[in-house]
Amino acid sequence: MSTETDAFLAEMIPRQRAADAAIHNGDVAPRIALWSQDDPVTLFGARLSGTGWAEVEPMFHSVASWFTHADSFDLEIIAAGASGDLAYTVGYEHTSATVDGTPLQYTLRVTHVYRREDGNWRIVHRHADFPPGEASVPLPGARTGT
């Protein structure tokens, strides 16, 4: 990886891991702090999808409400790149958490796109789905697409 990519990963990924662990414990604030609130932003989630901050932010609050306890969360990065003010990551999220009162373990394939704004990396796009051959878990929300 390039030095630019290494610097991006060192800065962003620990913050993203902490924010995603927090949302799996019902705390949405760290995730919201990582996201750009300047459109365009997009979410193609495993259960909810939206375009524009006005749609995406309430979805994050909904997702946080599903979770009450996370036993573990890990973001496994498979590929990443950064150049100038844009970056991306591709990987897997491995989660063991209580969802609507039911303990669940699941993995999501995830792709994130980041934009540097005022010197800080912000997420501007998330795509998450269940890997092929793995049954989706009964997460709450719409069935058409976090």
Side-chain angles (χ1 to χ4, degrees):
M1 276 186 249
S2 73
T3 303
E4 193 170 6
T5 299
D6 292 336
F8 157 74
L9 291 171
E11 177 185 338
M12 188 64 186
I13 298 309
R15 293 172 46 220
Q16 189 169 342
R17 281 188 175 117
D20 286 342
I23 202 167
H24 288 96
N25 280 302
D27 182 4
V28 72
R31 179 175 275 197
I32 287 174
L34 285 186
W35 273 70
S36 175
Q37 296 182 17
D38 297 330
D39 291 332
V41 295
T42 49
L43 173 67
F44 297 153
R47 289 292 180 248
L48 301 173
S49 294
T51 302
W53 186 245
E55 283 186 22
V56 171
E57 182 191 15
M59 290 179 184
F60 290 153
H61 287 275
S62 291
V63 170
S65 76
W66 303 342
F67 296 95
T68 55
H69 175 75
D71 291 320
S72 65
F73 173 82
D74 185 43
L75 172 59
E76 175 188 359
I77 300 297
I78 302 300
S83 180
D85 291 333
L86 292 175
Y88 75 93
T89 58
V90 177
Y92 294 96
E93 292 177 348
H94 306 285
T95 304
S96 177
T98 301
V99 181
D100 277 351
T102 303
L104 296 173
Q105 290 184 330
Y106 62 92
T107 296
L108 293 175
R109 296 185 305 182
V110 292
T111 301
H112 291 92
V113 177
Y114 310 79
R115 179 173 61 222
R116 194 175 356 229
E117 298 176 351
D118 299 321
N120 296 304
W121 287 106
R122 301 283 182 226
I123 300 171
V124 295
H125 173 75
R126 171 183 169 86
H127 179 260
D129 64 7
F130 294 97
E134 231 181 89
S136 66
V137 298
L139 296 175
R143 298 291 174 216
T144 58
T146 266

